[in-house]
Amino acid sequence: MGIVATDFGIKEALKELGIEDINKGSSTGSEFFANGDSISSYSPVDGKLIAKVSTTSPEDYERVMSTASDAFKHWRTIPAPQRGEVVRQFGEKLREVKEPLGKLVSYEMGKSLQEGLGEVQEMIDICDFAVGLSRQLHGLTMHSERPGHRMYEQYHALGIVGIISAFNFPVAVWAWNTALAWICGDVCVWKPSEKTPLCGIACQHIAASVMKANNLPEGISCLINGDYRVGEMLTTDKRIPLVSATGSIRMGKIVAQKVAARLGKSLLELGGNNAIIVSPDADIKMTIIGAVFGAVGTAGQRCTSTRRLIIHDSIYDKVKNALVEAYAQLRIGNPLDENNHVGPLIDQEAVKMYIEALERVIEEGGKLLLPGGQLDGEGFESGCYVKPAIAEAQNNFQIVQHETFAPILYLLKYSGDLQNAIDIQNGVVQGLSSAIMTNNLREAELFLSVSGSDCGIANVNIGTSGAEIGGAFGGEKETGGGRESGSDAWKVYMRRQTNTINYTADLPLAQGIKFDL
């Protein structure tokens, strides 16, 4: 069936995105390979069915892979700056559809409209970054120990990149991977979350239109829809040298094992259990702004959401009272209404996990300062809205060690010097994002030193949530170790090759080895 949604201008937004009828969608370009069972996309905003989307069958998948393989043979031969021009056009197209795509992200996923628009802006930003990168895929030149020899290394396109993305950033994370992979000469096969399939279809339409306008072959951008079984097609496929997967630690471990079993490469961006350390020298007003946005933004469903606030005992009560006062000002409701701060969780299963987490806090000996709870009544008919909660807890509580994708903030107390707080901050299995609030230069530098945060992201006087595309994004430990987006993250999408050229009439061997005939 086609589009069902009519509320909040969503049908009009989908029309602007070129998907009035998803049955005329595209997996690789002009053809639609989707003959599997259908999945339903329900909006957490109002609980209504948006559309039903056909999933990818094994036969469909084989056609997609064949098309992608053929496209790669052509795409890799196009000079990188020319590939950059295609990515530039893709970014321009995103600028044109920023409003309808942002609205779709907000409605299908449940994040605020401003965050939905911001997510599309991230896509635009990574395109801009990638365009510049297309003229900077640098190798290195080395001096050879052998006379008359030159050594250098260069990077070549890797092949087909498989992308598995999560519901919480239904378009941006795909773009982080795709823009860089395209610049590198790779083609992409993307499995979006089954909870946000329309966002995937919208992006595929945008990409396909740009490829068609440039007379490029189908298969440079491919889409497959479905649940974990469709994802397994990617992870077990030897034709895919790299699988980039974003999601839970549990999912990431499965992906890593499947890909490693065939000696493929995986890029993992998994869970976070992010903390802000609040030192006695912190600016309290700044701390509250950063902590509240980090904890309740996207209803606590970011991998960089602030889960723990580690506060020095000398200012603990002051910070706690300021937080409770700030939370009292939060407005919960339809995320398409820009007056609201907090929207819904993705579905009722997420609500269940949120409630169970709050119960665990009490069971383990914690205290709920703001007890939270599920909301019902007018405006909350979807059953996906909850109140942001604050709990006093200990870092060794099992529930604190676990990442709950919901707006629950744990307050933890530390005493003594900063190293005690850093030990608490590092005392979890995840290692994604971290922050310290302090005006003390020595504390800031210690936090960023080798003895400081063990996370992939460490911030001073800003929160844990939100990142610019110029820096590499990712984390350590069970967060997976992958890096996406900026800096030199492009290298993971390419294969490195060392070259040695002998421009003499002799053939000396390395290490002085003699082999005379």
Side-chain angles (χ1 to χ4, degrees):
M1 65 182 294
I3 304 300
V4 176
T6 57
D7 293 341
F8 312 117
I10 297 302
K11 198 162 190 176
E12 291 73 17
L14 290 168
K15 185 176 181 180
E16 288 185 64
L17 294 168
I19 50 174
E20 282 185 270
D21 185 349
I22 59 171
N23 292 322
K24 296 179 181 178
S26 172
S27 286
T28 60
S30 61
E31 297 180 70
F32 185 64
F33 297 143
N35 297 299
D37 296 333
S38 66
I39 53 176
S40 298
S41 175
Y42 289 93
S43 171
V45 175
D46 55 13
K48 293 182 179 179
L49 177 67
I50 310 174
K52 290 189 176 181
V53 177
S54 297
T55 60
T56 302
S57 70
E59 294 75 22
D60 299 332
Y61 178 81
E62 284 303 316
R63 286 193 289 269
V64 167
M65 286 300 297
S66 176
T67 306
S69 297
D70 290 342
F72 172 62
K73 294 174 184 176
H74 174 74
W75 182 241
R76 68 184 178 183
T77 65
I78 297 175
Q82 292 184 28
R83 297 195 295 259
E85 168 58 17
V86 175
V87 173
R88 186 196 66 79
Q89 294 176 32
F90 179 60
E92 287 302 306
K93 188 67 175 177
L94 289 170
R95 285 179 169 89
E96 294 174 13
V97 299
K98 179 178 177 179
E99 185 172 347
L101 184 55
K103 182 176 284 189
L104 175 60
V105 169
S106 179
Y107 185 63
E108 188 173 35
M109 184 268 151
K111 63 176 58 177
S112 73
L113 180 57
Q114 283 301 309
E115 289 183 87
L117 295 170
E119 186 169 343
V120 181
Q121 186 61 48
E122 278 194 62
M123 302 174 76
I124 295 167
D125 292 345
I126 195 63
C127 287
D128 289 348
F129 178 89
V131 172
L133 181 65
S134 68
R135 295 180 182 271
Q136 301 180 71
L137 301 176
H138 302 307
L140 293 173
T141 299
M142 290 82 74
H143 289 278
S144 173
E145 67 183 61
R146 290 168 284 183
H149 285 59
R150 180 166 67 89
M151 291 179 63
Y152 69 97
E153 65 180 26
Q154 61 181 330
Y155 289 84
H156 293 300
L158 195 58
I160 301 174
V161 174
I163 303 169
I164 300 173
S165 64
F167 73 85
N168 59 331
F169 280 86
V171 297
V173 172
W174 167 73
W176 284 2
N177 285 273
T178 298
L180 296 189
W182 283 346
I183 288 296
C184 294
D186 302 322
V187 300
C188 299
V189 178
W190 176 30
K191 192 204 88 66
S193 169
E194 60 270 31
K195 297 181 180 182
T196 52
L198 279 182
C199 286
I201 291 173
C203 290
Q204 175 63 12
H205 271 261
I206 297 165
S209 69
V210 173
M211 299 302 168
K212 185 175 182 181
N214 286 273
N215 296 313
L216 290 167
E218 295 180 5
I220 295 172
S221 178
C222 302
L223 180 75
I224 54 177
N225 267 312
D227 60 16
Y228 71 94
R229 289 169 293 186
V230 175
E232 284 181 346
M233 297 181 195
L234 286 179
T235 58
T236 58
D237 194 334
K238 293 183 179 179
R239 293 169 292 184
I240 300 178
L242 172 67
V243 175
S244 174
T246 304
S248 68
I249 291 173
R250 182 193 63 81
M251 180 275 285
K253 289 181 177 180
I254 295 171
V255 169
Q257 292 174 36
K258 295 281 188 182
V259 176
R262 57 179 179 83
L263 297 181
K265 297 200 298 182
S266 57
L267 191 168
L268 302 175
E269 200 279 282
L270 310 176
N273 197 341
N274 316 294
I276 299 176
I277 295 174
V278 187
S279 96
D281 290 318
D283 181 317
I284 301 301
K285 182 178 179 181
M286 184 184 294
T287 296
I288 297 305
I289 294 172
V292 174
F293 175 73
V296 309
T298 323
Q301 296 173 115
R302 292 187 177 208
C303 52
T304 55
S305 290
T306 304
R307 310 286 176 202
R308 299 173 295 146
L309 208 59
I310 305 168
I311 310 165
H312 193 271
D313 57 9
S314 65
I315 57 169
Y316 182 84
D317 289 337
K318 185 177 181 180
V319 174
K320 178 179 71 173
N321 294 336
L323 272 172
V324 172
E325 183 179 338
Y327 269 55
Q329 302 173 48
L330 293 174
R331 293 184 294 273
I332 308 168
N334 185 337
L336 293 165
D337 181 346
E338 296 186 52
N339 291 314
N340 292 323
H341 299 105
V342 185
L345 293 176
I346 185 64
D347 54 26
Q348 293 185 25
E349 181 62 28
V351 174
K352 179 183 176 184
M353 288 190 289
Y354 157 85
I355 293 172
E356 290 175 350
L358 294 178
E359 292 172 348
R360 286 288 302 277
V361 172
I362 301 300
E363 291 171 5
E364 294 194 55
K367 177 183 177 182
L368 296 178
L369 294 176
L370 292 179
Q374 185 175 9
L375 293 166
D376 54 23
E378 185 178 355
F380 305 123
E381 291 86 356
S382 69
C384 297
Y385 291 86
V386 300
K387 299 176 185 177
I390 300 177
E392 292 183 298
Q394 299 293 325
N395 201 54
N396 61 0
F397 287 3
Q398 288 187 11
I399 192 58
V400 175
Q401 291 284 314
H402 175 75
E403 179 191 36
T404 302
F405 239 45
I408 302 174
L409 179 63
Y410 301 113
L411 304 189
L412 312 175
K413 189 183 296 186
Y414 82 97
S415 58
D417 62 24
L418 180 62
Q419 193 62 55
N420 294 329
I422 292 173
D423 291 343
I424 295 172
Q425 136 72 38
N426 294 343
V428 292
V429 299
Q430 307 89 346
L432 180 52
S433 186
S434 59
I436 185 172
M437 293 294 184
T438 182
N439 288 324
N440 184 313
L441 177 62
R442 290 178 176 177
E443 288 186 330
E445 290 294 340
L446 175 60
F447 180 72
L448 300 176
S449 75
V450 68
S451 302
S453 170
D454 64 2
C455 294
I457 299 169
N459 299 326
V460 176
N461 289 332
I462 61 174
T464 63
S465 187
E468 298 179 32
I469 58 90
F473 182 89
E476 299 304 318
K477 300 190 292 188
E478 292 195 5
T479 297
R483 292 298 186 274
E484 298 170 311
S485 191
S487 185
D488 64 349
W490 61 271
K491 291 180 179 179
V492 76
Y493 303 95
M494 304 195 81
R495 59 182 177 88
R496 184 186 306 206
Q497 185 180 79
T498 300
N499 308 116
T500 306
I501 299 172
N502 177 5
Y503 54 90
T504 74
D506 299 319
L507 187 60
L509 301 178
Q511 293 86 47
I513 295 174
K514 301 296 183 181
F515 188 75
D516 297 325
L517 293 176

